[in-house]
Amino acid sequence: MSFMNKKDYICLGILLSVFTVLAFFRLGNTHAPQSSYQATSENRDIVLDFGDYLDIGSIHVFLGNLNTRHFSISVFNEVTGSWEVIDGEAAAESVFAWNKLDINYNTRYIGLVSTDEEAVFNEFVVLQTDGTSILPVNAGDYPELFDEQELFPEAKTYMNGTMFDEVYHGRTAYEFIHALPTYETTHPHFGKILISLGIRMFGMTPFGWRFMSAVFGILILAVMYVFAKRLFGTTAGAALTTALLAFDCMHFTLSRIATIDIFAAFFILLMYYFMYEYFLKDSAVHRPQLPFGRTALPAQSKFSPGMLLPLGLSGTAMAFGIATKWTGIYAGAGLGVLFIWYTSTHFPKGQIKRLFLFCCVFFIAVPLAVYTLSFLPVVGHTEYNGLIDKAVKGSFSMFDYHSKLVAEHYYSSPFYEWPVIWMPLLDANDAVSETLVSSVSCMGNPVIWWAGIPCSLFVLFRFLVKKDKKAGFLILAYAAQYVPWMSIGRITFIYHYFPAILFVMLMMGYTMDFVMNRFRPGKAAVTIYMITAVIVFALFYPVISGLPVSREWGMQLRWLKDWILVL
């Protein structure tokens, strides 16, 4: 990339290095129970003998890939010679995480009957009421349940189990690998295929199922830097814009959780970057006076196939975005508006037909092919008539689910609350001790998100009043990621705003570049602002990273009344 110089690579390298350390530090354990006990109608009874009467406090179950498994728990009365049910409705809910079943009984024998048709248990750990673990004397009868006792953690946190929607996406990635019936079918599957790559490399462990999210969280910084450099033409503008993303709390959180949102955002930003790159190349060849780019070359009438490369890459990135999450369709619609706006006023008429055919391939055929292929790993509970049938029926099922979804969630928030971070999402919250808690909150960096509001208005002014086409590009890109949510009736969360905030950051970079170039104290003001943004990220770091912190610290960060960052 000829527009990148030595300073650019140094700045980008520093930002990538810093964020890589942040992303991988305490990402998750590299170990978790792997062997599993399959409970079916034929072997649903598990009887544990402790050799003597002991005060049993609880049994901790690390579930396999089947969620919400139910138990009837009994103790054996040697006087009456019969089993007595002490809890007929016990349940372990979260997959690939430790679940606690309370016992609180003095007994020698405990019977657990799995009341579901089938269940998968990766490990049992029995604790006495004083907290010490005890191994049943007949543990050898259930080797898969008691062979990884050393993996039981002192405290249940995100480090040793799933959190939030990992119970769907991480689980489904595991099921892809093992050709099991697919549980999560409400989104296209490419993002879960990516998650499965980390699991293949590092096992079904917290580190394994989060690895690819961290990788894409790093890669998106590189795309942001290159995009910003193309937009503003300065190393300072590119570095500052990328630093906003590197120290944004939501980007940090989404890079450390096995959900599909970071992948979708990556492909959305990438598709817009390549579309902008196409505008630059075409304007340099055909319309050197067009202010999309800074390069002025003599106008040429010759059609250049190389000029179409970024356009094809934009369509390809769109294909993977849609195959990850349907929000890629919103982004694709925005690309269409930008492309029509550009070609209707600037493109040579003699090449429209050839361009139309090219776009049919890369913006229709390729996305359809990639989307369909993303259904390859899907294993349904009913028979499919091939890959096409999987894709068609799966898509109708997705639409039916989202269009009819009626649900409530304490941390949900409508679209108009997102820019001001009215309701963060608590992904995980676990007590580590009497005074410390491990919390993972999904929220924006307040200094960045709140400042983004006036910056967006400034860019809108530059577009409407000053007719700045760069400003118009950013406004239309932002609107494509945000406006469609205004008509969505289903439950929504603040992380749905993440693709839009990427363009808010580019608009902030646009504003900072303007301020630094037009006003004498501009550089000092921008420097102070960026230092403040980094400091605020550091303040919120404990409650977005899961680092054990006092509840008092979390309460002090409650800047708005609905912020619940720790419990």
Side-chain angles (χ1 to χ4, degrees):
M1 291 179 285
S2 59
F3 58 89
M4 294 280 287
N5 57 41
K6 184 178 179 180
K7 287 184 179 179
D8 288 316
Y9 287 112
I10 291 174
C11 290
L12 178 57
I14 292 172
L15 289 168
L16 292 179
S17 298
V18 170
F19 187 77
T20 298
V21 173
L22 290 171
F24 280 103
F25 177 65
R26 290 176 56 87
L27 179 63
N29 289 347
T30 56
H31 49 264
Q34 300 294 308
S35 61
S36 60
Y37 176 88
Q38 309 287 327
T40 65
S41 57
E42 297 178 355
N43 65 335
R44 63 177 68 236
D45 297 351
I46 300 171
V47 178
L48 305 180
D49 177 7
F50 301 101
D52 199 355
Y53 279 78
L54 300 172
D55 292 324
I56 305 300
S58 57
I59 297 177
H60 296 257
V61 181
F62 194 92
L63 274 189
N65 68 299
L66 300 179
N67 65 297
T68 316
R69 299 296 94 176
H70 302 87
F71 300 88
S72 176
I73 303 177
S74 305
V75 296
F76 186 71
N77 188 325
E78 290 187 293
V79 175
T80 63
S82 62
W83 288 93
E84 299 176 358
V85 176
I86 60 172
D87 189 348
E89 298 181 351
E93 297 182 352
S94 298
V95 298
F96 299 107
W98 291 99
N99 298 263
K100 182 182 179 183
L101 305 178
D102 290 316
I103 305 297
N104 297 319
Y105 211 92
N106 181 270
T107 185
R108 173 179 173 176
Y109 301 98
I110 291 180
L112 297 97
V113 179
S114 176
T115 57
D116 297 288
E117 197 170 305
E118 59 179 332
V120 180
F121 311 124
N122 284 20
E123 193 73 8
F124 278 10
V125 170
V126 182
L127 298 185
Q128 299 183 77
T129 53
D130 62 1
T132 59
S133 62
I134 181 173
L135 196 66
V137 296
N138 66 330
D141 295 341
Y142 311 97
E144 300 89 351
L145 292 180
F146 297 99
D147 60 339
E148 298 170 289
Q149 297 286 290
E150 72 281 1
L151 300 182
F152 183 68
E154 293 184 7
K156 173 186 175 293
T157 70
Y158 81 100
M159 286 287 292
N160 46 63
T162 50
M163 60 176 167
F164 192 55
D165 279 356
E166 288 183 338
V167 297
Y168 306 123
H169 301 142
R171 165 186 174 173
T172 301
Y174 172 88
E175 290 167 342
F176 284 174
I177 294 172
H178 296 279
L180 296 170
T182 305
Y183 179 73
E184 199 285 305
T185 57
T186 62
H187 296 288
H189 303 293
F190 185 68
K192 289 160 282 185
I193 293 172
L194 290 174
I195 294 173
S196 73
L197 299 180
I199 297 172
R200 288 182 184 276
M201 288 186 283
F202 301 103
M204 193 58 189
T205 66
F207 185 89
W209 62 67
R210 295 174 189 144
F211 177 78
M212 291 303 295
S213 294
V215 169
F216 273 75
I218 296 166
L219 292 176
I220 199 172
L221 291 174
V223 177
M224 179 66 86
Y225 192 100
V226 174
F227 201 167
K229 181 62 188 290
R230 271 313 222 180
L231 278 165
F232 314 129
T234 64
T235 298
L240 290 169
T241 305
T242 308
L244 292 174
L245 181 57
F247 293 102
D248 177 56
C249 300
M250 183 173 289
H251 167 242
F252 174 80
T253 301
L254 293 181
S255 299
R256 289 165 51 86
I257 183 171
T259 59
I260 59 178
D261 298 279
I262 193 67
F263 307 125
F266 171 84
F267 290 117
I268 287 171
L269 188 64
L270 191 65
M271 69 175 82
Y272 276 86
Y273 162 69
F274 281 127
M275 182 60 75
Y276 188 79
E277 187 71 28
Y278 165 71
F279 290 164
L280 290 183
K281 287 185 178 294
D282 181 72
S283 61
V285 172
H286 295 107
R287 303 281 176 167
Q289 75 279 13
L290 186 68
F292 270 115
R294 299 176 180 273
T295 305
L297 296 175
Q300 301 176 20
S301 59
K302 184 178 179 181
F303 185 81
S304 172
M307 182 187 74
L308 295 179
L309 177 61
L311 187 62
L313 292 173
S314 177
T316 303
M318 186 187 81
F320 286 107
I322 295 173
T324 300
K325 197 170 186 179
W326 276 3
T327 49
I329 297 175
Y330 304 157
L335 286 180
V337 171
L338 286 167
F339 186 74
I340 292 172
W341 172 46
Y342 177 79
T343 56
S344 64
T345 55
H346 300 99
F347 200 82
K349 294 181 181 180
Q351 297 178 10
I352 292 180
K353 182 178 179 180
R354 191 181 303 183
L355 185 63
F356 173 76
L357 294 174
F358 184 87
C359 289
C360 284
V361 173
F362 283 94
F363 288 89
I364 298 177
V366 171
L368 282 174
V370 172
Y371 181 83
T372 302
L373 289 171
S374 75
F375 283 79
L376 275 173
V378 174
V379 179
H381 293 281
T382 58
E383 291 296 323
Y384 287 114
N385 296 318
L387 179 59
I388 302 298
D389 199 41
K390 285 184 183 182
V392 172
K393 288 183 179 178
S395 298
F396 276 110
S397 176
M398 290 175 205
F399 180 80
D400 189 64
Y401 170 83
H402 291 290
S403 62
K404 296 179 180 179
L405 178 63
V406 177
E408 294 183 359
H409 196 289
Y410 182 83
Y411 295 105
S412 65
S413 60
F415 70 90
Y416 51 82
E417 294 181 351
W418 300 342
V420 295
I421 325 175
W422 191 260
M423 176 60 76
L425 171 63
L426 194 60
D427 285 339
N429 188 91
D430 298 287
V432 176
S433 67
E434 293 183 359
T435 58
L436 298 180
V437 63
S438 171
S439 175
V440 178
S441 294
C442 184
M443 61 179 295
N445 183 324
V447 170
I448 296 174
W449 284 39
W450 293 346
I453 297 172
C455 289
S456 301
L457 295 175
F458 171 71
V459 175
L460 178 62
F461 165 81
R462 292 285 299 175
F463 173 48
L464 296 178
V465 178
K466 300 298 183 180
K467 310 301 180 184
D468 187 329
K469 288 184 171 60
K470 287 185 181 180
F473 184 97
L474 294 175
I475 286 292
L476 290 173
Y478 169 72
Q481 318 316 312
Y482 188 37
V483 172
W485 289 102
M486 298 178 184
S487 62
I488 300 297
R490 55 149 288 176
I491 188 174
T492 55
F493 298 90
I494 192 171
Y495 64 81
H496 289 130
Y497 189 59
F498 185 63
I501 203 68
L502 297 175
F503 295 97
V504 171
M505 292 175 187
L506 286 168
M507 289 190 278
M508 294 175 72
Y510 177 103
T511 305
M512 289 189 291
D513 189 64
F514 182 89
V515 168
M516 290 189 296
N517 290 327
R518 297 295 183 92
F519 302 99
R520 182 173 297 177
K523 291 183 179 179
V526 168
T527 300
I528 293 171
Y529 168 75
M530 290 302 302
I531 292 173
T532 304
V534 175
I535 291 173
V536 170
F537 175 85
L539 289 175
F540 281 86
Y541 176 79
V543 297
I544 63 174
S545 67
L547 190 71
V549 65
S550 67
R551 287 183 173 85
E552 289 73 18
W553 181 266
M555 294 304 296
Q556 290 175 359
L557 295 174
R558 194 173 182 177
W559 293 0
L560 297 181
K561 68 180 183 68
D562 285 336
W563 286 12
I564 299 178
L565 307 179
V566 297
L567 293 175

